Amino acid sequence: MYKTGSEGLNRPSLPTSIQAMLLAAYSVLTLLTLIRAVLSAQYFQRSVDLPQVAYDFIVIGGGTAGGVVGSRLGEIRDHRVLVIEAGPSNQDVFDSQVPGLSHNIGYRTQFDWNFTTTPQNHVNNTILSYPRAMILGGCSSHNEMTYTRGSQDDYDRWAATTGDDNLSWKNILPYIQKVEKWSTPNDPNLPEDDHFNSSVHNKDGMIGVTAPYFPHPFNDLLLNATREMNDEFPFLLDLNSGKPIGLGWGQASIAHGLRSSSATAYLAHANDNVHILLNTHVTRILPSTNQSHDFRTVEFTSGPEATARHTLTAEKEIILSGGAIGSPQLLLLSGIGPREELEELGIEVIIDNPSVGRNFSDQVSVPVSFSTTLPPTDFDQMEALSQWKLDGTGRLALARHLSPIGWVRLAATSEPFKDGSPDPTGGQNSPHLEFFFGGISSLNDSTGIGNPPPATKITAVEQAGVISTTRTENNLSLQIDVVDVNPVSRGSIKLSGPSLFDPPLIDPALLASSLDTAILTEGIRSLQRLWSSSAFSEHISGFSTPAPLSTQTEDIVEYIKHASTPFGHGVGSCSMAPRGAEWGVVDPEFKVRGLKGLRIVDASVIPFIPSGHTQAPVYAIAEWASNVIRSTYEGL
Ligand SMILES: Cc1cc2nc3c(=O)[nH]c(=O)nc-3n(C[C@H](O)[C@H](O)[C@H](O)COP(=O)(O)OP(=O)(O)OC[C@H]3O[C@@H](n4cnc5c(N)ncnc54)[C@H](O)[C@@H]3O)c2cc1C
């Protein structure tokens, strides 16, 4: 951990009285810190260590949403709250603290569930990895920290679909704000002026958010291009204003050079009536009495090898926060889901609900690279680590190599909509596409330039070029993910067997709708137009990946069909529906349809994927849901 104190500074000595005052203040502070530690949430490695068996609320999954709900419910001192997390604590995982090291834990590690998709029919039958965190804080402890609220249309569409105006942009905004604690970047040489609009941010919330950046000529060229091609690429001062269209600066869940997550910002500050049980897998949710639909009992175990199963019953409620994969998986294992599917696996059907695990959607990302003469963004990791340890600045204090992000809304007259296809977004304030600028490097991604990936098994991480295998000197390329942020395709989460340890069948149904392919094709064309601006034309030329791709539409489509990957923003698999609806999994109070005692709060309840990255919307709805749950019990 870097030090922030003034050790080693050669200062003149202070008068004794002042020294005594400082010493007294220091002692009081130390005492307060100690009291705070004693009164904070308590962490347990094994269930046998729990000091009690009676809990009012049991939260399944100490992830992004679960961390918020657990700590907010614990603000009522009388509430005894237990958060059960399959993974270990984030506290000893160094790579989860250093923003620039997130790739070390995000993919195929002990902190990942190591899921894969089913063969993707429209992506050459490819099986892709589908990372999901298994660590306290969930994906907020291992993700890439990009912080985007989505567009106001996303929330308004959600409110209209569920018939609950509480979810509209205007009503959810206070909860979005409640999450956020705007923080100034550590490095005084990188002022954030003109990088965000302070009037749309809050300084008093929980999750640290900044607009950290790395000075690079690409930034200025991009700003020049926004002036030159303002119609297609307007400058976007703040991507969190509710209308994310244009090119501007990224924002990240980073404060003072450290990752800010639901584990660091919420759970670590929760009251001592919040108990956190780590390394524990919930295997099923059970009725608390025979033949009842009152689901307040959890069955759990210490891991795949353990045979023993234990149970605990919540006196008030269970809140399922297992994420877009884990939550439908647990419902299905508990007999809540499509009858035929459950019966095939020999699972007793308790509630026949065909919506469980359906409506799953994820954004589709296509990695593309362009030859460039701009300087590389590569850096010396060891030097950067020393810098970070010294004062929390430098390249490892940043989540990304290039700081801007682009969002493009296609015109209604553009190619994808010429056949009359309806607009898949929530409205005029929403983009169809994101340009996620990666970096500039001479490291080839492992797809190999001009070398198509094998059609059978390839991981998203390899496809996206995160793992680099070969170095081609003098062949610098600018790497970008072109992302279809409002996909039409809908997939599913199903079980492959009756146990939690049978890997779930994750099918994002990438490109099942041809409109998604058409939007991505237009996205690549749009990027080509950006590079043809006079700002960029000298610096960026044709594709380096895919190569030797011509600019023919059919070649681009072919490339999309073999390079697409899920963007890691899955939602909708336990979708919210209006009260009393015949479809959907939860109602607007997050209660599971047909049951008592069980709510779901996480990405799985979001019916339409937000136009951006998903952590900020998940935090916001977890804040709102905590309010809904608390108001049920406050005053009783
Ligand atoms: C690699 C990666 C990078 C990403 N980058 C970004 C980004 O830069 N910006 C952004 O906004 N979004 C990003 N996302 C997406 C975003 O982080 C997630 O959408 C969001 O955090 C999901 O929150 P959640 O609460 O729904 O689920 P999670 O945060 O995944 O929490 C679910 C928790 O439940 C636990 N759990 C599940 N099942 C069980 C069980 N049976 N028993 C016990 N515990 C269980 C899990 O271990 C996990 O901790 C990224 C996602 C990934 C995978």
Side-chain angles (χ1 to χ4, degrees):
M1 184 67 54
Y2 60 83
K3 295 187 174 114
T4 51
S6 53
E7 294 156 56
L9 289 184
N10 202 3
R11 292 186 172 162
S13 53
L14 294 165
T16 328
S17 58
I18 298 184
Q19 281 186 17
M21 270 169 54
L22 283 176
L23 192 65
Y26 178 75
S27 310
V28 171
L29 262 178
T30 311
L31 190 65
L32 285 175
T33 313
L34 278 174
I35 293 172
R36 174 77 222 163
V38 172
L39 295 180
S40 290
Q42 299 179 47
Y43 294 65
F44 301 93
Q45 302 295 332
R46 302 172 313 162
S47 59
V48 289
D49 301 331
L50 287 176
Q52 65 197 57
V53 290
Y55 288 96
D56 294 300
F57 297 98
I58 299 179
V59 180
I60 304 173
T64 312
V68 176
V69 175
S71 81
R72 289 297 187 198
L73 292 179
E75 283 176 357
I76 311 286
R77 279 289 183 179
D78 292 344
H79 288 166
R80 296 155 303 170
V81 181
L82 176 66
V83 177
I84 304 182
E85 167 54 42
S89 168
N90 60 303
Q91 289 177 336
D92 308 320
V93 184
F94 181 72
D95 291 347
S96 88
Q97 298 166 17
V98 190
L101 296 181
S102 66
H103 284 304
N104 290 353
I105 51 167
Y107 303 88
R108 295 187 301 183
T109 65
Q110 58 174 307
F111 309 112
D112 183 18
W113 286 80
N114 292 304
F115 292 142
T116 53
T117 66
T118 56
Q120 291 302 288
N121 295 345
H122 305 276
V123 191
N124 287 350
N125 276 330
T126 309
I127 294 171
L128 299 143
S129 71
Y130 201 88
R132 289 291 97 181
M134 195 201 285
I135 181 172
L136 197 64
C139 289
S140 74
S141 286
H142 85 163
N143 69 17
E144 292 174 27
M145 292 154 280
T146 300
Y147 200 83
T148 65
R149 300 168 176 177
S151 94
Q152 58 192 72
D153 305 327
D154 298 328
Y155 298 87
D156 290 342
R157 171 161 66 170
W158 187 0
T161 307
T162 58
D164 188 333
D165 200 43
N166 288 311
L167 297 157
S168 65
W169 170 256
K170 117 176 117 43
N171 289 329
I172 212 82
L173 197 52
Y175 297 89
I176 292 176
Q177 298 270 9
K178 200 173 175 189
V179 173
E180 188 181 292
K181 185 183 186 126
W182 189 267
S183 315
T184 309
N186 267 11
D187 192 338
N189 300 316
L190 299 176
E192 57 186 3
D193 318 336
D194 306 328
H195 283 223
F196 77 113
N197 175 0
S198 60
S199 73
V200 303
H201 292 284
N202 178 29
K203 289 190 166 159
D204 307 320
M206 307 293 285
I207 295 288
V209 180
T210 37
Y213 66 100
F214 163 56
H216 189 279
F218 177 81
N219 303 345
D220 296 329
L221 296 175
L222 198 78
L223 298 183
N224 289 345
T226 62
R227 288 187 272 274
E228 193 186 327
M229 301 179 78
N230 183 57
D231 278 356
E232 187 168 2
F233 305 112
F235 173 63
L236 176 62
L237 175 60
D238 199 304
L239 52 77
N240 280 323
S241 62
K243 186 178 177 180
I245 297 176
L247 309 181
W249 300 97
Q251 296 178 15
S253 43
I254 297 174
H256 314 299
L258 290 164
R259 172 193 291 272
S260 184
S261 69
S262 75
T264 63
Y266 283 90
L267 287 173
H269 303 283
N271 289 330
D272 62 347
N273 49 332
V274 177
H275 292 177
I276 300 165
L277 176 56
L278 299 159
N279 312 311
T280 302
H281 289 69
V282 173
T283 45
R284 281 189 304 165
I285 309 166
L286 306 169
S288 45
T289 54
N290 277 347
Q291 298 177 335
S292 84
H293 284 178
D294 186 4
F295 266 58
R296 286 180 294 110
T297 299
V298 287
E299 178 193 76
F300 57 90
T301 184
S302 57
E305 314 303 332
T307 47
R309 298 284 185 269
H310 312 277
T311 59
L312 274 176
T313 298
E315 293 191 5
K316 290 189 168 69
E317 292 191 29
I318 290 178
I319 294 95
L320 173 55
S321 296
I325 314 298
S327 286
Q329 186 188 16
L330 263 184
L331 286 190
L332 295 166
L333 290 167
S334 310
I336 305 157
R339 174 178 294 282
E340 276 177 24
E341 238 173 84
L342 299 180
E343 283 177 347
E344 235 170 68
L345 295 170
I347 296 173
E348 186 195 346
V349 181
I350 302 213
I351 295 274
D352 175 18
N353 182 341
S355 297
V356 176
R358 299 300 198 273
N359 189 53
F360 177 59
S361 79
D362 200 347
Q363 295 158 342
V364 194
S365 163
V366 180
V368 280
S369 307
F370 296 85
S371 301
T372 183
T373 53
L374 290 170
T377 53
D378 299 333
F379 61 99
D380 183 320
Q381 288 247 359
M382 291 319 289
E383 241 174 58
L385 191 56
S386 307
Q387 179 72 40
W388 184 87
K389 284 184 174 168
L390 187 71
D391 59 6
T393 67
R395 294 295 296 280
L396 289 182
L398 305 174
R400 303 174 51 224
H401 301 311
L402 290 172
S403 316
I405 296 196
W407 311 88
V408 173
R409 179 165 179 83
L410 300 175
T413 50
S414 64
E415 199 58 42
F417 305 114
K418 283 197 171 140
D419 62 359
S421 293
D423 177 15
T425 70
Q428 295 296 318
N429 300 303
S430 309
H432 295 97
L433 290 150
E434 174 179 346
F435 297 154
F436 196 61
F437 303 112
I440 298 173
S441 181
S442 55
L443 290 175
N444 283 346
D445 62 48
S446 64
T447 58
I449 290 175
N451 219 354
T456 47
K457 181 156 178 156
I458 181 160
T459 66
V461 62
E462 284 158 355
Q463 258 193 342
V466 178
I467 292 176
S468 302
T469 50
T470 52
R471 180 180 275 276
T472 314
E473 296 299 346
N474 305 322
N475 195 358
L476 280 174
S477 64
L478 165 62
Q479 295 151 8
I480 301 158
D481 285 327
V482 177
V483 187
D484 173 16
V485 284
N486 270 289
V488 185
S489 308
R490 292 290 180 272
S492 60
I493 307 297
K494 295 183 183 173
L495 299 179
S496 68
S499 156
L500 178 77
F501 303 107
D502 295 320
L505 303 172
I506 300 172
D507 180 10
L510 299 181
L511 306 181
S513 160
S514 57
L515 184 57
D516 289 335
T517 313
I519 286 172
L520 285 163
T521 307
E522 193 54 30
I524 293 176
R525 289 248 177 271
S526 174
L527 259 186
Q528 289 175 307
R529 289 192 286 274
L530 180 61
W531 306 145
S532 70
S533 63
S534 57
F536 277 117
S537 58
E538 271 178 44
H539 305 281
I540 298 176
S541 51
F543 291 112
S544 55
T545 308
L549 183 69
S550 69
T551 50
Q552 299 296 314
T553 301
E554 50 274 29
D555 287 343
I556 295 180
V557 168
E558 204 42 44
Y559 176 69
I560 290 170
K561 285 185 175 168
H562 91 210
S564 288
T565 67
F567 205 37
H569 293 163
V571 302
S573 46
C574 294
S575 183
M576 186 180 280
R579 280 178 194 83
E582 293 289 302
W583 60 278
V585 180
V586 296
D587 70 10
E589 285 172 31
F590 301 85
K591 291 179 177 160
V592 176
R593 191 151 69 81
L595 297 180
K596 275 178 29 192
L598 179 62
R599 303 196 209 218
I600 306 179
V601 181
D602 57 26
S604 72
V605 305
I606 304 178
F608 299 94
I609 201 157
S611 311
H613 301 232
T614 35
Q615 66 170 348
V618 170
Y619 278 127
I621 59 140
E623 282 282 10
W624 164 241
S626 304
N627 204 50
V628 171
I629 302 167
R630 277 174 55 162
S631 64
T632 313
Y633 297 96
E634 267 159 349
L636 283 186

